[in-house]
Amino acid sequence: MTGSSLRAKDTGRPDSTAETTRPPRRRASRVLRWTALALALLLLGTATAGYLYYRHLNGNLAKAPLNLGDSPNPSATPDAAGRTPLNILLIGSDSRNTADDLELGGSQGDVGRPPLADVQMLVHVSADRNDMSVISLPRDTMIPIPKCTDPVTKKVYPELSLAMANESLGRGGPGCTVATWMRLTGIPVDHFMMVDFSGVVAMADAIGGVPVCVERNVYSHTANGHGSGLRLKAGTTPVKGKQALQWLRTRYGFEDGTDVGRTHAQHMYMNSMVRQLRADATLGNPAEMRRLAEAATSALTVDDGLGTVKKLYDLTTELQKVPTERITMTTLPTTPWAQDNNRLVPATEDADKLVSMVRDDVALDGRDTGKPKPKETDPAAPTAEITVRVQGGTGAGLESPAPDRAGAVAGLLRDRGFTRATTDRAATTEPGTSVLYSGTMLRGDALAVAEALNIPAARVREVDDARDVTLVVGADWPSGDRFPEPAKREVPKSAAVLGGAKTDACMKIQEGYTW
């Protein structure tokens, strides 16, 4: 997590009936299977019909800008082979601004109010595409929200030092939720996918049901009318339509009745849905695939970079590379907020451990594969000729860097022959200690700086706007003359890990909500 975020007080072949003997047209109609995010698309018919249907599906997609914040998207760190991770933010909106949405929840008084991002999941696909990590943010978590500008009305929403995480969506749209995540974690977000109540129901119906499990009979309902209304018998039940929405929204009745339990239920649903989509041969049926394609494209709002069926298909091709058993679901560790026990704040140490692992592209299942050999690079200049600017960063931790730490590290560099090392007082939001450079000719110089201070080569990366070689000293290096050796990195237990291959997961039921 970035220090500035929390120090502030707190988503084939052509159809056999349309087979053609003209090879040039084969590409125009084929089955497109989306699995990892429960999306499926189908192009049917002859070349002309397939193109028209493609245009129709494109027209179903709603689009919005990726980032509405006042800070640029952070740069992804390539691995030694030059590959970069992929990060997609999945957003579930509680909008009641259509008749279908209103029928599924809320009251007439909710019509017209800003939507809330009640589901937020960051999907991280590793640079080598061998594993996928998911972090859920409970909606009741109190976090800072950056200044955002509505792309339509141009209304400027001022920065909030502390607010509920789900409020970001109502401050201009999903691009503000993206900006909030990037500020909170320092992780670049490449794309977002957003779906509302009616979209969840349509998708669940198209899929045909997702198996979920409860340990005892459950009824999510309170005497004063709260609860999702979910009513299930003990054991495994396939849920779809409105019942699937109830499952995803249930708080009262699961575990301890907090929003954390709701995220755990969402993880069970997502894992089960992925397994079912990958195993269900009926999805090869053209009629079923068309139905799912219509539901998927009609339900989604995506960023401009995902605004066509082709782009979504390309994204899904990347997601399909990850084996089901390498999918790891987690929840951002939180603790009750001292000022209101009904609200949460990130649990500083554990939250930082989890986020830093994802930011550094470390597999959460502990099965990192072999790393590629580093790319060849230009040799470094003599140390006395390398200009280094040293900045104090906000860091990967939640504490402020030690006073004048940048000046102290600049002195260390000068002692080691980097006589052109100076302190740069410019503000930075780098998530941790990093060595930045612009232009491939400076990579050798940047690596020399990193080596002199024991900074891992993985923290050396190219950015667009670095001046000379820039060393950002984060809160993860508060003292000492060498960057500390990393300890073994393990996901904290408070992150409630759920592996994609776990088929026997079953929700614990809160006392008082059984029947």
Side-chain angles (χ1 to χ4, degrees), residues 111-295:
V111 176
R113 69 155 171 78
L116 299 172
D118 277 359
V119 178
Q120 298 180 44
M121 295 183 182
L122 182 70
V123 177
H124 171 87
V125 186
S126 63
D128 60 13
R129 303 299 188 257
N130 282 333
D131 65 271
M132 179 188 296
S133 303
V134 179
I135 301 178
S136 283
L137 178 65
R139 72 172 189 177
D140 295 338
T141 309
M142 304 297 290
I143 58 173
I145 298 178
K147 182 175 76 172
C148 292
T149 302
D150 190 301
V152 177
T153 66
K154 306 305 179 185
K155 178 178 178 179
V156 177
Y157 293 87
E159 178 179 358
L160 298 177
S161 62
L162 200 62
M164 277 181 59
N166 63 356
E167 292 181 24
S168 60
L169 183 60
R171 298 167 61 81
C176 191
T177 305
V178 168
T180 300
W181 269 84
M182 291 193 296
R183 170 171 173 172
L184 181 71
T185 65
I187 297 172
V189 176
D190 301 291
H191 301 291
F192 72 78
M193 294 181 175
M194 182 174 72
V195 64
D196 59 16
F197 282 172
S198 57
V200 170
V201 170
M203 285 294 297
D205 282 343
I207 291 168
V210 174
V212 295
C213 178
V214 290
E215 291 186 348
R216 294 188 289 167
N217 294 354
V218 63
Y219 182 34
S220 178
H221 182 75
T222 67
N224 57 357
H226 291 297
S228 70
L230 178 72
R231 188 181 180 96
L232 290 177
K233 291 183 178 180
T236 299
T237 305
V239 296
K240 63 179 181 177
K242 186 174 181 178
Q243 199 173 46
L245 177 64
Q246 290 174 331
W247 176 274
L248 294 170
R249 296 184 61 210
T250 294
R251 168 179 174 177
Y252 300 107
F254 284 162
E255 297 184 351
D256 60 357
T258 68
D259 196 42
V260 174
R262 172 163 41 203
T263 66
H264 298 166
Q266 291 166 356
H267 292 165
M268 182 189 298
Y269 182 94
M270 291 287 287
N271 275 348
S272 182
M273 180 174 61
V274 169
R275 288 195 302 269
Q276 177 141 329
L277 280 166
R278 289 186 167 180
D280 192 348
T282 65
L283 289 180
N285 180 290
E288 292 299 315
M289 290 292 285
R290 179 190 280 269
R291 190 159 62 96
L292 191 48
E294 291 285 352

Side-chain angles (χ1 to χ4, degrees), residues 396-440:
L398 305 182
E399 310 83 8
S400 297
D404 199 30
R405 179 64 179 150
V409 173
L412 290 173
L413 282 171
R414 288 192 293 270
D415 291 342
R416 293 169 192 182
F418 294 86
T419 54
R420 295 186 180 180
T422 60
T423 304
D424 186 342
R425 305 292 181 184
T428 179
T429 56
E430 277 297 307
T433 298
S434 306
V435 184
L436 312 175
Y437 66 95
S438 293
T440 55

Side-chain angles (χ1 to χ4, degrees), residues 20 32 37 43 65 147 250 266 293 326 359 372 481 511:
T20 175
L32 306 181
L37 299 178
L43 301 181
K147 182 175 76 172
T250 294
Q266 291 166 356
R326 297 299 310 278
R359 188 173 54 236
D481 59 3
E511 292 298 329

Side-chain angles (χ1 to χ4, degrees), residues 292-335:
L292 191 48
E294 291 285 352
T297 53
S298 299
L300 286 173
T301 298
V302 298
D303 63 278
D304 295 325
L306 288 181
T308 68
V309 169
K310 175 64 166 61
K311 291 177 180 178
L312 283 166
Y313 174 63
D314 290 344
L315 171 64
T316 306
T317 299
E318 293 298 294
L319 298 173
Q320 286 178 321
K321 295 176 182 178
V322 180
T324 303
E325 64 271 16
R326 297 299 310 278
I327 299 174
T328 305
M329 298 278 185
T330 66
T331 300
L332 187 80
T334 55
T335 188

